[in-house]
Amino acid sequence: CRDVLKLLEIDQVTFHYLYDQLRTDYMRDPSAVDSEVMLQLGCLEIRRFFKHMPQVALTKKSNFDFLEKEVGLHKFIPNIVIESVKPKALRKTIANYFKQFANL
């Protein structure tokens, strides 16, 4: 963990390249990760993608619909999770995690 933080401090370009590679690998084969962790990782990525969005933004149905239909949840959360969780429960969980990660 310290090596990754050190890499971020020393060489941000390499860090972001590594991050993108790991994220791509994870999205292709998330089988080794718990579904709750997958949701948390997805919400962190949503937070990074929408860094200027207020923490309560995803509690509004219209904002979540935009995320779901225009951007696509599949860009942030593996399809295996999207398909296995009921839509209403998925929305609520994502909104809650998004609030938690608002200050990151």
Side-chain angles (χ1 to χ4, degrees), residues 24-61:
T24 300
D25 290 347
Y26 157 72
M27 291 297 283
R28 277 192 210 134
D29 183 24
S31 60
V33 181
D34 177 63
S35 63
E36 197 67 24
V37 173
M38 288 183 216
L39 283 169
Q40 291 175 352
L41 290 171
C43 290
L44 281 169
E45 186 62 18
I46 291 169
R47 185 74 215 148
R48 187 173 81 95
F49 191 79
F50 295 109
K51 57 186 161 207
H52 300 295
M53 188 181 281
Q55 71 181 26
V56 294
L58 291 182
T59 57
K60 293 182 180 180
K61 188 175 184 326

Side-chain angles (χ1 to χ4, degrees), residues 3 11 18-19 21-22 24 31 34-35 38 45-46 51 56 60 64 82 87 91 96 98 100:
D3 293 336
D11 187 355
L18 176 64
Y19 172 82
Q21 285 294 115
L22 289 171
T24 300
S31 60
D34 177 63
S35 63
M38 288 183 216
E45 186 62 18
I46 291 169
K51 57 186 161 207
V56 294
K60 293 182 180 180
F64 196 90
I82 295 170
R91 284 175 181 243
N96 287 337
F98 192 79
Q100 281 181 329

Side-chain angles (χ1 to χ4, degrees), residues 39-93:
L39 283 169
Q40 291 175 352
L41 290 171
C43 290
L44 281 169
E45 186 62 18
I46 291 169
R47 185 74 215 148
R48 187 173 81 95
F49 191 79
F50 295 109
K51 57 186 161 207
H52 300 295
M53 188 181 281
Q55 71 181 26
V56 294
L58 291 182
T59 57
K60 293 182 180 180
K61 188 175 184 326
S62 61
N63 290 339
F64 196 90
D65 286 345
F66 174 80
L67 170 65
E68 198 170 32
K69 293 177 179 141
E70 299 297 323
V71 178
L73 285 178
H74 66 280
K75 290 184 178 182
F76 307 105
I77 299 170
N79 285 329
I80 192 167
V81 175
I82 295 170
E83 295 167 0
S84 67
V85 179
K86 292 181 181 181
K88 189 174 182 178
L90 184 63
R91 284 175 181 243
K92 185 176 181 180
T93 303

